[in-house]
Amino acid sequence: MISTATAQWQQRDREHHLHPFTDARALAEKGVNVITRADGVYLWNSEGKRFLDGMAGLWCVQVGYGRHELAAVARRQLEELPYYNTFFQSATPPAIDLAAKLGDLTPAGLGHVFFANSGSEANDTAAKMVRAYWNLMGRPEKKTIISRHYAYHGVTMAAASLSGLTPMHTLFDLPLPGFVHVAAPYWYREGGEMSPDEFGVQAARAVEEKILELGPDKVGAFIGEPVMGAGGVIVPPATYWPEIQRICRAHDVLLIADEVICGFGRTGPWFGCDTYGIAPDMMTIAKGLSSGYLPISGVMLHDRVAEVLIDKAGEFAHGFTYSGHLVCCAVALENLRILEEEGIVARAGAETAPYFQARLGELTDHPLVGEVRGVGMVAAIELVADKAARRPFDESRKVGTTCRDLCLENGLVMRAVRDVMVLSPPLVISRDEIDDLVALARRALDATAAAVAAG
Ligand SMILES: Cc1ncc(COP(=O)(O)O)c(C=O)c1O
């Protein structure tokens, strides 16, 4: 029996609340899981049940839950000056300080930031900047943006067009014209008999083929997550990004790195671009920038792109009421201080993330597990019907969803993308907590195997 409070919340939720990426009818039948508090890597629901949050919320709570410093900074800022915009030749100290800090922290040359509120808005902004840049360069035909199947870049009209997940397109008549998709570097599913390195080059060449098919004078940019996240944690072979970089340079195509998940230590170093040696023209950031405590995102621009917009655009007619919201900026600055001064990114990269990958790798021996892959503190466990043949389960069996539900029952938040179980815990997760996570994951895999066997 659930408590009266939980039952009431579930009823009100059912009656009034539409959820993102949710089958509303199925949720109404089941009743929503009401999360009421959190600390460190753990969440509790309204029934007092504890969950180890293997997803850091939605890939974002790098510093873990319950950091009072972040609440204190937000409160101080709200009391001193709760809002002022960055339009009309104004700014606030937190927005200026965060812009400067990001200029220092992000890879070389990314000296300017344009603030927004979500990853989707950042990617929409980047797409508009591509158009503006090539218009200002006198090449108005050079506008098409190439993205990839399995990409996730958000849900606004342009960001969803950039995304490469079919369900995000069909209901909404997307993608818009000017957005095209090529194969992802998904070696496990699409690499066949090739070595990962051979396949990495081939997958990158799909971008070049598309550029040549459309004409280099028609292609404005390529966008990619250094490691694809919501598409199923697709870790690129080592050969992929160097070849992409070469292709973009050769054809004068802007390279946009979507670091919304990878940024702020998720793949080990501070940015996925550091992990893979990518030198982007634009980089979008969100999530870990504030550890999800408040919404904030941004587009980092390389100086050579920023200079064109600054020198030639006149008024840049784009921006959000909350671009550079000072409370969010103050919290982001404090979050970056914590990540840096407490050595959270450094320690995760050097110690706990390798431990996380090694322990998860042990699950490869499980009969359901085709591949365990990952980098830094992000990983996937791909479930298959036949390990030797890498044969997936029939989609209708919903094995991933079963596993996700069994994880929750066992007190672990592990998300399912198709039959790929994905993990992205807070960077502060300890070795003991990693041991707990792996034990819970194994228990859920055993229960899933039993459910599969029972048909
Ligand atoms: C790589 C990537 N880009 C963009 C987004 C969109 O961010 P938001 O949900 O804040 O709009 C996400 C969200 O998960 C993401 O993973």
Side-chain angles (χ1 to χ4, degrees), residues 59 118-121 123 152-155 225 230 258 260-261 286-287:
W59 328 77
S118 67
S120 303
E121 286 180 4
N123 284 324
Y152 187 85
H153 297 296
V155 296
E225 304 151 77
D258 180 342
V260 168
I261 285 179
K287 295 191 189 275

